[in-house]
Amino acid sequence: MLRQGASPGARRADGRTALTIAALGNQVKVARLLVGAGADPDPQDTDRNNALLVTAQTGSVAMLREVLRAGPDLTRTNRFGGTALIPAADRGMSSTSARS
């Protein structure tokens, strides 16, 4: 679809982007394509989720690497007022697990 001109930043009615959907489904290859096409990782949906915030919830290190390549705003907060660091820490993620 990207080759046919679809926008990498297209959003559903609830504001959820293709990159956030890929992050929720741990579709790393799809995320890589979207980031390579210029997808913005920061737009938040009506639940205040975005690609980085859901990656912190799912704990996928491979997805985190892809989302970080897009240069996300690390200060965005979820509907509870927390950054991605909070759910990542809650799940036992650390800087060492992100590097492995």
Side-chain angles (χ1 to χ4, degrees):
M1 290 172 52
L2 290 171
R3 285 187 202 129
Q4 295 174 355
S7 169
R11 296 171 82 161
R12 295 187 326 195
D14 65 358
R16 187 161 287 173
T17 66
L19 185 56
T20 299
I21 294 167
L24 281 166
N26 199 31
Q27 298 294 318
V28 177
K29 290 179 182 179
V30 172
R32 186 173 301 126
L33 289 171
L34 289 165
V35 168
D40 182 352
D42 293 330
Q44 292 177 270
D45 61 23
T46 55
D47 290 332
R48 297 200 50 205
N49 287 316
N50 69 15
L52 179 64
L53 292 166
V54 300
T55 299
Q57 293 168 10
T58 65
S60 171
V61 174
M63 183 59 72
L64 176 61
R65 287 186 180 121
E66 292 306 320
V67 172
L68 289 175
R69 282 187 333 111
D73 178 353
L74 303 178
T75 65
R76 294 282 173 119
T77 58
N78 61 23
R79 67 184 176 272
F80 305 110
T83 65
L85 181 60
I86 293 170
D90 186 48
R91 283 161 182 72
M93 301 279 298
S94 69
S95 60
T96 27
S97 64
R99 285 183 279 208
S100 47

